[in-house]
Amino acid sequence: MSLTGRRGILSSMIQDQIRKDLGKICQKLKINSSKLVLEHPADPQYGDYATNIAMHSWHNGYNSPFDLAEKIINTWRSNGLPSYLAKIDVAKPGFINLWLEKDFLISQVEEVIKKRNSFGRESLGKGKTIVVDYSSPNIARPFGIGHFRSTIIGQSIVNLYRFLGWEVIGINHLGDWGTQFGKLIYQIKNRRTKKKLTIKDLERLYVEFHQKVAKKPEIENEAREWFKKLEEGNKEAKEIWKECVEVSLKEFNRIYQRLGIKFDQTSGESFYQDKMKKVIEAAKKRKILVKSEGAWVVEFPDLKIPPALLIKSDGATTYETRDLASIDYRQNKWYPDLFVYEVGAEQTLHFRQIFAIAVKLGYGKAEQFIHVNHGLFYLPGIGKLSTRTGRTVYLEKILDESVKRAKKLGSQNQKIAEMVGVGAVKYFDLKNHPATNIAFDWQKMFALEGDSGPYLQYTYARCQSVLTKSGKDLKKEEFNFPHLHLKTEEQNLLRTIYKFPEVIQQAGEKFSPNLICSFLFDLAQKYNVFYNRLSILKADEAELISFRLFLTLAVSQVIKNGLQLLGIEAPEKM
Ligand code: ARG
């Protein structure tokens, strides 16, 4: 199954219908329409959809793309346009532009109102399974901004695929195993106090170890010994390790609760202790494991990337081996169609290596493995916002500050301030394509007129306030508007709402929650223009009041559904 092959599974209805109907016309004219691409023109005056099919196919017997485009639209017109189309036209140098019919657009508002929280939900992924590996922080280390990105983007991918009908397994692959635990155990063993460990102790001990190494390099060996003992099941080592895991998990779980994150499985690297042997044996059997300076590695002469280390010269296993064991395990447990990893871009090489080995070991096909990499947050003029090298930036501090700013924005209610504050940070992350590096900027995060979480939440709350003020129960109102003369502001909303299912499918296909953000921002802006220019409750006719209220209801519902996919709450009031 190739990525492009998934297009069919993830493409939306009205688009499909157009593709089908236009496809028939093409067939009639003996034009190959298998690569028919439909896009939304950047300028809406060129219609709701445009296709450049004529640009590709005019060589077979036509004078120009324009010539063929005209032929297509004339044939289509004489065949009779489908009822969902208002008109079609040709634009230079040979685009075919399509305008959707008003009745169709209005019917989509009704669709939103009928389907409510399920508007946009699809069963396209029926029978398909996806495993999403995300968040995956490291025990005994602070939960920093990098793991925040993985957590937020990963959760959004989980939500999206579930909404699209896939069976989704979200996994927190905790960093709870590896040589670093030898260092930690060494430090804890050499502590003077016997007081109970706190998360701060763990973070400090780790930093101190590295300071000590500078003076006493031999302690590296002792740490290595300790990890070896841990891998061999030494009781004392295991007990210390267990305590570290418990202390950290408690901390992480508090953060997850605050962020509203739910995993289907939390199984860290340690889970694969007894599952690595199988991988090593499989690799030996396939003769891909070679000895190199006492260690065991897999080489990639065809890919021209450095070898991957599976067993260190002291016999210790590696991050790579554990990842391979986890793929084998996941494959046998769920037979996933896709294995997705939401992990920082600095691990790109790692994933290229383990994906290549997984393919060699027959765990899956190359196109089933996807590394959705994320960039980092940085402070302009200063550099990476990091948890390493001393400049620790704790996620919780950022969230607290954000909630404080949310309060200043207006809401004194703690619950709402939390929704707005946490939502602001999440949105600030998600509105960017995952791979981009983001300049940290409080102003933008809270821009009430800009592309921000608070702006969307504010627009949602505004809709709710209009609906409440109307005093009407829209459930009892009839949805029937045959005589409307739509104003531009209304048209603009209608010509946006229907795109929602399409947008989420694209966001899923491209692993890009940012597409949902830009759609929601566009919708919210259009709603606010509509709100500012037209009267809703004081409109001239009862029919108009009712229509504009339905429109308001639909907009608020779509914003809510979109925010929900992003993992951001929509407070009724702000
Ligand atoms: N714990 C790792 C780190 O923080 C990320 C793990 C990502 N997932 C994986 N299956 N390798 O660097």
Side-chain angles (χ1 to χ4, degrees):
M1 185 178 51
S2 72
L3 270 179
T4 43
R6 289 190 300 119
R7 266 203 80 81
I9 315 163
L10 286 175
S11 67
S12 87
M13 313 115 283
I14 186 65
Q15 257 207 48
D16 276 349
Q17 194 58 47
I18 296 174
R19 213 170 269 128
K20 228 196 211 151
D21 293 341
L22 180 53
K24 274 187 208 145
I25 303 299
C26 290
Q27 210 177 9
K28 212 168 164 184
L29 297 172
K30 302 206 169 28
I31 299 162
N32 179 1
S33 64
S34 60
K35 286 201 192 104
L36 184 80
V37 178
L38 285 169
E39 275 173 340
H40 299 290
D43 183 344
Q45 69 160 326
Y46 294 110
D48 297 303
Y49 286 101
T51 174
N52 61 1
I53 178 90
M55 258 93 112
H56 290 301
S57 318
W58 67 276
H59 303 279
N60 287 335
Y62 296 87
N63 295 330
S64 65
F66 198 85
D67 189 28
L68 173 57
E70 281 207 306
K71 180 85 194 164
I72 293 175
I73 69 161
N74 288 333
T75 312
W76 206 359
R77 278 182 191 141
S78 58
N79 259 30
L81 284 185
S83 61
Y84 60 79
L85 282 184
K87 64 169 181 169
I88 51 177
D89 214 343
V90 177
K92 275 183 186 154
F95 287 105
I96 297 173
N97 297 331
L98 296 80
W99 282 259
L100 292 169
E101 180 59 66
K102 179 178 100 182
D103 287 349
F104 167 78
L105 294 171
I106 294 178
S107 77
Q108 293 308 292
V109 172
E110 195 176 12
E111 191 77 3
V112 180
I113 288 157
K114 269 205 225 131
K115 292 197 174 152
R116 289 280 176 146
N117 292 338
S118 296
F119 179 68
R121 189 182 277 284
E122 297 289 344
S123 52
L124 299 165
K126 212 169 158 210
K128 304 229 165 258
T129 303
I130 181 172
V131 169
V132 185
D133 180 314
Y134 68 113
S135 190
S136 313
N138 298 322
I139 296 298
R141 310 281 294 128
F143 196 106
I145 200 85
H147 291 108
F148 171 75
R149 292 210 71 191
S150 171
T151 308
I152 296 310
I153 300 167
Q155 185 68 56
S156 180
I157 291 172
V158 165
N159 299 345
L160 255 167
Y161 272 79
R162 220 163 253 153
F163 207 60
L164 294 171
W166 288 62
E167 174 77 30
V168 185
I169 298 113
I171 301 180
N172 188 0
H173 187 78
L174 284 176
D176 63 357
W177 206 249
T179 9
Q180 70 275 26
F181 284 93
K183 299 174 186 173
L184 207 57
I185 296 171
Y186 169 87
Q187 283 293 82
I188 293 169
K189 283 289 296 174
N190 287 291
R191 263 192 347 155
R192 279 192 210 100
T193 142
K194 285 273 165 291
K195 270 206 300 210
K196 251 193 139 0
L197 287 163
T198 65
I199 185 80
K200 288 269 171 315
D201 293 331
L202 294 181
E203 290 164 14
R204 188 174 38 81
L205 287 169
Y206 190 82
V207 175
E208 281 174 5
F209 179 87
H210 287 278
Q211 290 164 346
K212 240 189 254 173
V213 167
K215 286 183 231 129
K216 270 170 88 180
E218 65 275 16
I219 65 170
E220 284 271 20
N221 285 334
E222 286 188 51
R224 222 170 277 139
E225 268 308 303
W226 271 113
F227 179 59
K228 205 159 177 218
K229 281 188 196 162
L230 183 63
E231 285 216 294
E232 285 161 3
N234 174 291
K235 198 162 161 257
E236 193 183 8
K238 273 225 142 139
E239 257 162 34
I240 299 176
W241 168 81
K242 214 170 143 222
E243 193 184 345
C244 296
V245 173
E246 276 162 15
V247 169
S248 297
L249 259 188
K250 216 170 122 199
E251 174 80 1
F252 295 162
N253 284 334
R254 217 192 49 244
I255 295 176
Y256 291 138
Q257 190 152 22
R258 187 168 188 190
L259 295 175
I261 303 299
K262 286 201 188 80
F263 300 102
D264 299 295
Q265 196 172 91
T266 296
S267 43
E269 294 180 41
S270 66
F271 181 73
Y272 301 99
Q273 282 168 69
D274 58 350
K275 301 174 181 64
M276 285 182 276
K277 223 167 132 196
K278 190 177 160 206
V279 172
I280 297 299
E281 265 154 27
K284 280 188 177 153
K285 215 168 128 202
R286 301 219 180 201
K287 298 198 168 53
I288 56 171
L289 208 56
V290 294
K291 201 137 201 181
S292 163
E293 295 170 28
W296 290 94
V297 302
V298 177
E299 292 172 338
F300 310 93
D302 41 339
L303 294 177
K304 299 201 172 60
I305 54 176
L309 181 60
L310 295 201
I311 302 180
K312 296 188 183 173
S313 53
D314 63 1
T317 61
T318 63
Y319 179 50
E320 284 74 6
T321 326
R322 290 185 283 282
D323 253 331
L324 289 167
S326 73
I327 293 176
D328 180 40
Y329 174 83
R330 292 168 190 178
Q331 168 62 18
N332 289 317
K333 193 167 163 95
W334 296 293
Y335 303 105
D337 296 279
L338 292 176
F339 296 78
V340 169
Y341 294 81
E342 200 331 310
V343 186
E346 66 280 4
Q347 294 197 25
T348 300
L349 173 62
H350 167 76
F351 285 109
R352 281 192 69 192
Q353 292 172 324
I354 67 150
F355 294 168
I357 301 174
V359 173
K360 284 185 207 270
L361 293 178
Y363 297 161
K365 297 201 184 95
E367 59 267 31
Q368 281 175 277
F369 300 101
I370 295 164
H371 175 206
V372 178
N373 69 79
H374 62 253
L376 38 89
F377 270 106
Y378 65 93
L379 289 170
I382 297 180
K384 179 177 168 186
L385 214 59
S386 134
T387 57
R388 288 211 195 109
T389 60
R391 202 175 48 237
T392 302
V393 176
Y394 291 93
L395 173 64
E396 284 216 292
K397 287 234 168 77
I398 296 181
L399 294 180
D400 289 344
E401 171 68 24
S402 191
V403 171
K404 222 161 87 193
R405 286 173 188 253
K407 273 194 185 144
K408 273 197 206 137
L409 209 67
S411 186
Q412 291 309 310
N413 177 315
Q414 180 62 29
K415 239 176 151 177
I416 295 178
E418 181 77 18
M419 289 183 193
V420 176
V422 172
V425 187
K426 285 187 182 178
Y427 188 87
F428 189 68
D429 181 330
L430 291 169
K431 74 172 182 171
N432 300 284
H433 182 271
T436 32
N437 295 327
I438 306 172
F440 199 86
D441 185 333
W442 286 114
Q443 245 77 41
K444 283 193 183 144
M445 208 181 289
F446 280 90
L448 262 192
E449 292 299 320
D451 186 8
S452 73
Y455 175 71
L456 293 182
Q457 289 171 323
Y458 183 74
T459 309
Y460 176 77
R462 167 174 270 179
C463 292
Q464 292 315 107
S465 135
V466 171
L467 294 169
T468 314
K469 243 203 225 147
S470 79
K472 283 198 181 166
D473 181 1
L474 289 182
K475 279 192 203 100
K476 291 192 184 131
E477 298 265 314
E478 207 191 337
F479 192 97
N480 186 23
F481 306 101
H483 314 298
L484 283 178
H485 287 287
L486 294 174
K487 291 262 190 324
T488 313
E489 294 81 1
E490 293 165 321
Q491 274 175 21
N492 288 344
L493 278 175
L494 291 175
R495 293 174 73 191
T496 306
I497 291 171
Y498 81 93
K499 289 183 199 162
F500 182 65
E502 202 177 286
V503 168
I504 53 184
Q505 285 162 39
Q506 237 171 46
E509 184 179 351
K510 295 186 174 158
F511 302 98
S512 302
N514 57 298
L515 296 178
I516 302 178
C517 297
S518 33
F519 168 82
L520 292 180
F521 179 47
D522 182 39
L523 179 66
Q525 278 181 311
K526 285 177 173 150
Y527 182 78
N528 286 316
V529 171
F530 159 87
Y531 176 91
N532 288 325
R533 293 208 190 134
L534 306 179
S535 318
I536 302 175
L537 300 177
K538 291 198 181 113
D540 298 337
E541 296 153 47
E543 191 191 10
L544 216 48
I545 298 180
S546 169
F547 175 68
R548 288 178 184 168
L549 283 173
F550 273 119
L551 208 48
T552 300
L553 179 61
V555 167
S556 78
Q557 184 69 54
V558 171
I559 293 181
K560 188 174 168 196
N561 293 8
L563 287 178
Q564 191 254 326
L565 290 172
L566 299 173
I568 297 174
E569 300 201 64
E572 304 290 306
K573 272 194 199 130
M574 254 171 94

